[in-house]
Amino acid sequence: MILNQLIVKKRKEIDMSQTILALELGISNDYLCKVEKGEKILSKVRLNDISRILKIDINLLEELWLIDKILFLIKEEDRSDKIKELLINEYRKYI
């Protein structure tokens, strides 16, 4: 996943704990932990809050969120590795 890596990077840049970010987002720390590990995808409705809190452009967040949704959907498909590689390489510059 891509968005989760950006969230972790930006959260650490401002020295914010997972617990504080989870509280500000109104989600459990356990859920945020799973999002940051790439095990869950953050709800789209949370992107505006992430943008405001971590100071990330909302358009970038929406693009990365959609890419993560695609990656999550195809992760079990045959030959999905090539698609994953193409998507990740295209957006590697953002993380």
Side-chain angles (χ1 to χ4, degrees):
M1 303 297 174
I2 301 170
L3 179 58
N4 64 315
Q5 295 173 27
L6 181 61
I7 290 170
V8 171
K9 178 182 173 187
K10 293 295 188 178
R11 178 179 60 74
K12 288 182 177 181
E13 282 178 3
I14 63 171
D15 199 30
M16 179 181 280
S17 70
Q18 263 188 348
T19 303
I20 297 298
L21 181 56
L23 283 171
E24 291 201 24
L25 292 172
I27 60 176
S28 72
N29 193 54
D30 183 55
Y31 184 77
L32 180 59
C33 182
K34 289 178 181 178
V35 167
E36 288 190 355
K37 288 181 182 177
E39 296 172 3
K40 296 272 186 186
I41 296 178
L42 193 65
S43 168
K44 189 175 182 182
V45 298
R46 301 284 183 216
L47 295 182
N48 283 323
D49 293 331
I50 290 284
S51 176
R52 177 182 48 79
I53 295 165
L54 299 180
K55 310 232 181 325
I56 305 171
D57 179 69
I58 188 64
N59 294 315
L60 173 61
L61 288 176
E62 289 175 348
E63 289 172 9
L64 297 178
W65 177 84
L66 186 55
I67 289 170
D68 278 357
K69 289 281 282 191
I70 293 167
L71 291 173
F72 193 78
L73 288 172
I74 68 169
K75 71 181 178 180
E76 302 299 324
E77 297 296 323
D78 292 339
R79 304 183 68 214
S80 65
D81 289 341
K82 182 66 175 172
I83 300 300
K84 290 177 192 178
E85 182 181 331
L86 290 170
L87 286 171
I88 290 171
N89 286 338
E90 179 65 25
Y91 282 88
R92 179 90 44 210
K93 59 189 169 197
Y94 296 117
I95 58 175

